[in-house]
């Protein structure tokens, strides 16, 4: 698979992580269970980003 599509997917995940974390912060006082669920999704996405990071010398 060419590198460009992978980079595009990683960029989309990075954006999603930022937006989910922001929304979790907004909901933490009114719906802590939902905020926890959002942060769990964020954590999963961050793990995927870490596993798919390109090795750089």
């Amino acid at each position: 698979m060419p590198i460009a599509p992978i980079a595009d997917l990683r960029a989309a995940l990075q954006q999603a992580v930022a937006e989910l974390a922001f929304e979790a912060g907004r909901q933490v006082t009114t719906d802590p269970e939902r905020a926890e669920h959002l942060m769990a999704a964020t954590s999963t996405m961050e793990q995927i980003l870490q596993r798919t990071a390109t090795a750089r010398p």
Side-chain angles (χ1 to χ4, degrees), residues 1 3 13 19 23 26 30 45-46 48 51-53:
M1 180 177 260
I3 298 298
L13 273 180
E19 292 188 26
E23 186 59 26
R26 289 181 48 166
T30 58
M45 290 180 187
E46 286 175 332
I48 292 168
R51 284 195 316 262
T52 60

Side-chain angles (χ1 to χ4, degrees), residues 17 20 37-49:
V17 164
L20 286 172
H37 178 75
L38 291 171
M39 288 309 296
T42 298
S43 178
T44 299
M45 290 180 187
E46 286 175 332
Q47 290 172 13
I48 292 168
L49 286 166

Side-chain angles (χ1 to χ4, degrees), residues 29-40:
T29 57
T30 58
D31 193 352
E33 188 175 325
R34 178 71 177 150
E36 187 176 330
H37 178 75
L38 291 171
M39 288 309 296

